[in-house]
Amino acid sequence: FYAIMTDGFSTTISIAGAGVVFCEKEITPPDIDGGGANDTTCMRNVTWRTRQPKKLKTLDKVMAKVSYDPAVYDSVGFLMGQFNFNTTITITFPDASTLTFWGWVNKFTPGANKEGEQPTADIEIICSNQNDAGVEQAPVYAA
């Protein structure tokens, strides 16, 4: 039996070694991508092109819309310290289950600052699926 989520509130992201200088507004968890088909069609096929699934999977990027502290620009602060730094990242879902994987902050894109609206930014996290020693690491889900 699976407990289907009925509300996305409150989903958060934790990045190992980072202080919190942002507050999540929206989170898009990583895609799981099979990589498409291997074409197995050959000249002996009669009617149909044939295919088989690939063996490897991709845990794709995470996107988040956040409000933020301008201190993200501090050269020793969260953003600069975590940019392109492979570490463990944990998404905590509303039911307190977690998905932990290796990856890094790849992009921080501020939106326009406007009167009467809270400034936000988009953060892109790339999933590396390998630790600092280069050893393949599968994402870990914990209920």
Side-chain angles (χ1 to χ4, degrees), residues 115-130:
E115 188 272 329
E117 294 182 21
Q118 184 178 36
T120 61
D122 293 322
I123 294 177
E124 177 185 77
I125 296 171
I126 301 293
C127 306
S128 68
N129 299 317
Q130 60 181 328

Side-chain angles (χ1 to χ4, degrees), residues 13-46:
I13 298 174
S14 301
I15 300 172
V20 177
V21 291
F22 64 84
C23 185
E24 303 87 338
K25 294 198 146 302
E26 298 176 16
I27 295 176
T28 303
D31 294 351
I32 302 171
D33 186 345
N38 285 338
D39 186 349
T40 58
T41 306
C42 68
M43 293 299 181
R44 294 182 184 264
N45 285 66
V46 177

